[in-house]
Amino acid sequence: MTGFRPAASPLGRMRDRIAGGDPDRTVDEALRALPPLWAVTPGRDGWDDVAALLRGLPAPRRRDLVRTLADRFARPGDGPEDRCGHLALSALLSDGLDEDPLAAERAKLLDDLGRGRVDWYQDRFDALVRAELAAGRPLAPPVVAVVRRAALETYRPDDLVDLAGRLTDPVLNVGEAWSDQALRDATGADWQALLRHALTATASRPTAAWDERARALVAALGTERVRGTVLSWLALVGRPRTLPMEGRDPEPATGGAYDPCNATALRGLAWLLSLLPPHPGTVRALGALVETSLRKLPGIGPRSPKVANAGVVALARVDGEAALAELARLAARVTSGATAKLLDTALRSRAAARGLGREEIEELAVPAHGLTGAGRAEHRLGDTTAVLEIRGSRAALTWRTASGKTVKGAPAAVRQYHAGELKELRAAVKDIDRTLSAQSERLDRQFLARRTWAYAAWRERLLDHPLLGTLARRLLWTVDGTTVGHADGALRTLAGEPVAPGAEVGLWHPVDHEPGEIAAWRDRLERHGITQPFKQVHREVYRLTDAERAARTYSDRFAGRVLRQHRFHSLAALRGWRNQLRLAVDDEVPPATRELPAWGLRAEFRITSDVDGDAGPDITGPGTFTRVRTGQVRFYPIDAPRASAHSHGDEYRVLPRAGAVPDEPLPLEDVPPLVLSEVLRDVDLFVRVADADDAPAAP
């Protein structure tokens, strides 16, 4: 009986072929012996074993094998299917020889890899990379970047992580405007050490040890030097990439996604800035970093929530009113996600330290930006006066010469002798525009916040504030129940009578007033040439219909419409709703909800995945439904159990839980008219803007 003879390993078969002397068969066995990138199994012969065996062959034998590889590339067609494997073998075999016929092919393939023209995971590029390193040839920075990014993939072998760990130069990945500039600037050992420390910012917030090391690195370079240099880098974040990023960048021409390796460095640089003495430029740069990092990309979502969160953490560590004002501005713009929670926590912490409420600190934090009176400031620069004033909802910078003539552009003398002041004034214009936009959105949300003010506090924080006053004076208010507007330097009724100070002030809403009164206020604002910062007297009002009275507990006024899911999802977040994307998976999904704590209510907008039709469901590459179908709007007590529906279904139900009693939806007649109107106004916006058949650009 013949005994069992185990199959030879790939490395053993390759030794046999080498002994046999057939170059073609030797090459074939060598290719089989190369450990596949995605199929590395325990017990397989490793890369080092294959490389050692091939490089240990006599020079004549290696030359024969190199020529065999070159002949395969010279055949008609596109060459061998496993191009990377063949080129990796050529790199190993030609090391030390006087001929290298495939050097140009290797250089071209590596260049394609670095420029994102090929997908690294579809071929064995790691074999080629290892062969180049084994031959002592350095990798081009774009190739290093690809290997590092590949090592961060969810499904990748450990040896790829080890390979990336060996690639320490350059310290950052090339391909982004900011990282390219940083690599040009950080030429000394101290700068290199600082960037390497920034790359260790992998936690949610810095530790004491991290801060201690960062302070030592800053001290070696100088505080002002570090601040100025890092701020110049951050100013380039979000610019168009200088090199494409393989399979990750839906918008390469407009900045697109962050390099995931460099994103870690950005987090570290944000933390580092927060350790420096407070500076307006630092606050401005961190705020811009948060907004840039939250910009949504098609099919990806926000660029980098982790970088945005690091920016908020850094701002929260900066002392002073400027940082507080920036946190408040961002809190007015960012309404959902982990970043919004961090902003809320930071503001609540500042408020508690001053013995104030969350809303109060947000209002008190709004900066005047040097404005005096009602949105105006003048700055003398030599013989010229810069006039900074708010016109409507934007800031304008004009110039008055010594002769009294007003010009739009900065005079030559100002540009030449006051360049620093000019730069600050232009930055102030941008800061004011951002603040006005954020505060307008915040005031618009006060209807559902049910916010009221003591009269004296309202005048100080809003009406008489140099910046907020330009918004408040174009809105209508109620003073102890009397509707008032600002005209001719005073608060006046519709009849034009001055109003005495009162006790309580609230934001006026048309749902509480008769059509005739609303029309009269519209006429008055038009006569005075007043454009409101958001819709108030012209605000859409949604009153209960007969059909909704008959249905009692739900509104299907906007049911049965098909929406583009991602556009709806973005709009919902902007309006303060919580929504979960519908994925083509076996999962339960809650409806879109908006919590209304001031009213003790929760609004639900029931939507389902659009899986009907002959064509079947429309699903994107990541497995997300592109369309959803609208359903009912309901109202529940804020703490009522939440319903959910299957990702592929349309029946909402409350899953049984111990001690949980399902609540019935509230009768619509019991819902306050303002709440009903504002919720249905949001839903109408979703339906109009995200309509799958005719989706116009969002306003």
Side-chain angles (χ1 to χ4, degrees):
M1 179 177 176
T2 305
F4 173 74
R5 182 179 180 182
S9 69
L11 191 63
R13 289 195 298 270
M14 187 173 72
R15 288 194 182 95
D16 293 341
R17 293 301 180 191
I18 290 173
D22 188 327
D24 271 311
R25 292 188 175 183
T26 301
V27 166
D28 290 338
E29 289 299 338
L31 289 170
R32 295 190 187 100
L34 288 177
L37 179 58
W38 296 105
V40 176
T41 56
R44 285 294 305 270
D45 298 308
W47 166 265
D48 292 336
D49 295 327
V50 176
L53 181 57
L54 291 176
R55 298 180 70 192
L57 294 175
R61 192 64 189 280
R62 286 192 288 130
R63 186 176 291 106
D64 289 342
L65 294 175
V66 167
R67 290 171 179 170
T68 299
L69 290 167
D71 289 342
R72 293 188 178 188
F73 271 85
R75 293 172 185 171
D78 297 328
E81 182 178 350
D82 185 6
R83 295 171 60 83
C84 282
H86 281 71
L87 292 174
L89 289 180
S90 77
L92 287 172
L93 293 165
S94 62
D95 184 26
L97 298 180
D98 55 1
E99 59 180 289
D100 188 0
L102 293 179
E105 288 284 349
R106 288 200 306 274
K108 181 180 182 303
L109 193 54
L110 287 170
D111 183 66
D112 287 345
L113 175 63
R115 294 181 180 277
R117 296 171 181 162
V118 289
D119 293 327
W120 68 268
Y121 49 82
Q122 293 179 352
D123 291 291
R124 296 191 295 181
F125 283 110
D126 69 317
L128 181 55
V129 167
R130 294 176 193 276
E132 289 293 295
L133 293 176
R137 288 185 287 269
L139 299 176
V143 178
V144 172
V146 171
V147 175
R148 286 173 175 167
R149 289 192 291 265
L152 295 178
E153 292 286 348
T154 303
Y155 302 103
R156 79 278 188 251
D158 292 338
D159 60 343
L160 188 60
V161 178
D162 295 337
L163 175 62
R166 294 164 52 192
L167 305 177
T168 59
D169 187 51
V171 62
L172 298 175
N173 282 353
V174 298
E176 292 182 310
W178 85 266
S179 63
D180 291 349
Q181 184 61 50
L183 291 172
R184 287 191 291 269
D185 294 340
T187 55
D190 290 338
W191 278 112
Q192 292 281 311
L194 185 143
L195 287 175
R196 293 192 190 283
H197 186 59
L199 285 167
T200 65
T202 55
S204 59
R205 57 185 66 245
T207 63
W210 195 97
D211 284 346
E212 182 180 359
R213 174 61 176 160
R215 288 191 179 96
L217 293 169
V218 170
L221 290 163
T223 298
E224 294 304 318
R225 184 184 177 193
V226 169
R227 178 192 290 117
T229 304
V230 173
L231 290 183
S232 71
W233 297 344
L234 295 188
L236 300 175
V237 174
R239 296 279 184 89
R241 289 186 58 83
T242 57
L243 286 172
M245 190 159 58
E246 66 292 340
R248 300 166 180 263
D249 204 348
E251 296 183 359
T254 57
Y258 291 168
D259 184 298
C261 301
N262 291 346
T264 302
L266 285 175
R267 296 169 69 187
L269 293 175
W271 294 352
L272 185 143
L273 284 175
S274 69
L275 298 174
L276 308 182
H279 187 275
T282 296
V283 170
R284 193 175 294 134
L286 290 174
L289 181 65
V290 172
E291 291 185 301
T292 302
S293 301
L294 290 178
R295 179 175 177 269
K296 292 185 177 180
L297 303 176
I300 293 180
R303 271 174 170 158
S304 179
K306 289 185 177 181
V307 174
N309 294 347
V312 173
V313 168
L315 276 171
R317 304 203 311 166
V318 177
D319 293 330
E321 296 301 313
L324 175 59
E326 189 65 14
L327 287 169
R329 184 187 71 81
L330 290 170
R333 301 298 301 271
V334 182
T335 58
S336 63
T339 307
K341 293 179 181 178
L342 283 173
L343 287 165
D344 182 67
T345 300
L347 286 175
R348 289 185 183 279
S349 177
R350 296 281 181 109
R354 302 187 183 194
L356 300 172
R358 165 72 164 75
E359 295 80 8
E360 291 179 294
I361 196 69
E362 195 169 2
E363 287 175 351
L364 291 172
V366 179
H369 292 293
L371 301 172
T372 58
R376 181 183 172 88
E378 294 189 358
H379 301 269
R380 189 79 174 174
L381 303 179
D383 294 333
T384 305
T385 301
V387 181
L388 179 60
E389 59 183 342
I390 295 175
R391 299 175 182 174
S393 296
R394 296 188 66 84
L397 181 62
T398 57
W399 305 87
R400 190 171 61 243
T401 63
S403 63
K405 181 180 179 180
T406 299
V407 295
K408 292 184 178 180
V414 171
R415 297 196 302 270
Q416 182 176 0
Y417 299 110
H418 302 278
E421 294 96 324
L422 176 60
K423 181 179 179 181
E424 285 299 316
L425 284 171
R426 287 173 172 168
V429 170
K430 295 180 180 179
D431 290 343
I432 291 172
D433 285 346
R434 287 194 292 263
T435 303
L436 285 171
S437 176
Q439 292 304 314
S440 177
E441 293 175 11
R442 185 181 68 84
L443 287 172
D444 189 27
R445 291 198 295 269
Q446 299 311 304
F447 292 119
L448 285 176
R450 213 176 185 178
R451 183 73 192 283
T452 59
W453 295 261
Y455 182 85
W458 172 76
R459 287 210 64 128
E460 177 187 358
R461 299 175 189 174
L462 291 167
L463 194 68
D464 296 333
H465 188 279
L467 186 143
L468 288 180
T470 65
L471 301 175
R473 296 182 184 195
R474 293 185 284 135
L475 294 170
L476 299 184
W477 304 86
T478 60
V479 177
D480 294 339
T482 301
T483 304
V484 300
H486 191 272
D488 301 325
L491 293 173
R492 301 181 184 275
T493 64
L494 182 59
E497 297 296 326
V499 176
E504 185 178 82
V505 180
L507 192 58
W508 181 92
H509 193 286
V511 77
D512 301 321
H513 301 271
E514 295 298 323
E517 180 189 355
I518 297 171
W521 276 110
R522 289 176 179 175
D523 291 341
R524 183 183 176 190
L525 292 178
E526 186 175 347
R527 289 197 308 271
H528 285 80
I530 296 175
T531 300
Q532 295 192 296
F534 53 84
K535 281 187 176 182
Q536 190 187 32
V537 294
H538 290 277
R539 200 175 190 85
E540 302 87 352
V541 175
Y542 299 78
R543 303 184 189 277
L544 207 59
T545 64
D546 292 339
E548 289 164 344
R549 287 190 177 90
R552 291 194 67 248
T553 59
Y554 64 85
S555 169
D556 58 3
R557 194 183 307 193
F558 302 103
R561 304 288 292 274
V562 178
L563 309 182
R564 300 183 185 183
Q565 178 172 207
H566 286 90
R567 181 166 291 188
F568 161 69
H569 185 69
S570 297
L571 285 170
L574 287 173
R575 296 299 301 168
W577 290 70
R578 291 184 180 179
N579 179 61
Q580 184 175 329
L581 286 172
R582 269 66 181 165
L583 306 178
V585 296
D586 183 14
D587 194 13
E588 293 282 329
V589 187
T593 60
R594 182 164 185 181
E595 293 189 349
L596 308 167
W599 306 86
L601 298 175
R602 183 180 75 241
E604 289 189 358
F605 181 30
R606 297 192 165 188
I607 60 174
T608 58
S609 306
D610 183 41
V611 297
D612 298 332
D614 296 334
D618 190 1
I619 301 173
T620 62
T624 306
F625 289 102
T626 60
R627 300 186 304 263
V628 292
R629 189 175 297 274
T630 62
Q632 299 173 353
V633 176
R634 299 185 177 201
F635 294 86
Y636 291 86
I638 196 168
D639 57 353
R642 298 176 184 270
S644 62
H646 193 273
S647 295
H648 294 262
D650 58 2
E651 180 183 352
Y652 277 87
R653 61 192 183 279
V654 177
L655 297 178
R657 289 177 296 174
V661 179
D663 282 66
E664 292 296 320
L666 297 176
L668 296 183
E669 290 186 334
D670 294 346
V671 177
L674 186 150
V675 173
L676 178 70
S677 182
E678 286 298 299
V679 167
L680 292 182
R681 182 175 183 264
D682 279 353
V683 175
D684 191 9
L685 173 71
F686 303 154
V687 169
R688 286 186 292 107
V689 177
D691 190 285
D693 296 325
D694 181 23

